[in-house]
């Protein structure tokens, strides 16, 4: 993405209408959505460095999935080119991304079968 060091997000989505940015098995442009799954070693990088870089690049939606809190933070790009405060989803909350308005899921379903992190 413009202005970003090469990044390897945990999940990226490019809609068919934007598929021209995929060349040589790489995304060479701004995807519709990126998501990162936090781990203790990457938390600050995903929540600060990548968040700011993705906003500067113009990424419309960014999601941070926190397995420890069993939550998802959804950032939407504001007209000023920055992300506002995230919408935080937990448990039975339904998540829907702007780029996929017909698909929704419960955030708790992301963690079904995952080990209990509260022990």
């Amino acid at each position: 993405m413009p202005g970003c060091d090469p990044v390897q997000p945990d999940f990226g989505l490019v809609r068919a209408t934007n598929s021209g940015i995929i060349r040589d098995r790489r995304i060479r442009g701004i995807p519709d959505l990126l998501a990162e799954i936090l781990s203790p070693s990457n938390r600050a990088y995903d929540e600060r460095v990548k968040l700011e870089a993705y906003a500067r690049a113009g990424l419309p939606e960014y999601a941070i999935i926190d397995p420890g809190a069993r939550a998802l933070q959804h950032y939407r790009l504001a007209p000023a080119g920055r992300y506002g405060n995230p919408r935080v989803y937990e448990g039975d909350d339904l998540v829907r991304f702007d780029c996929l308005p017909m698909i929704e899921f419960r955030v708790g379903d992301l963690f079904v079968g995952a080990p209990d992190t509260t022990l």
Side-chain angles (χ1 to χ4, degrees), residues 26-102:
R26 295 185 186 269
I27 298 173
R28 301 182 185 277
I30 301 167
D32 297 289
L33 167 70
L34 291 179
E36 299 287 355
I37 301 170
L38 293 181
S39 69
S41 65
N42 71 0
R43 174 178 288 277
Y45 190 66
D46 291 341
E47 291 183 327
R48 285 188 279 253
V49 176
K50 285 186 177 181
L51 180 79
E52 292 174 12
Y54 292 162
R56 281 192 310 272
L59 179 70
E61 293 182 87
Y62 179 44
I64 297 177
I65 301 165
D66 185 343
R70 302 209 181 226
L72 182 147
Q73 299 173 50
H74 181 204
Y75 292 88
R76 292 180 174 96
L77 193 63
R82 299 185 76 63
Y83 293 117
N85 291 329
R87 177 144 186 217
V88 178
Y89 298 90
E90 301 174 310
D92 287 334
D93 294 342
L94 290 173
V95 177
R96 183 180 306 138
F97 296 108
D98 297 342
C99 62
L100 297 170
M102 303 299 273

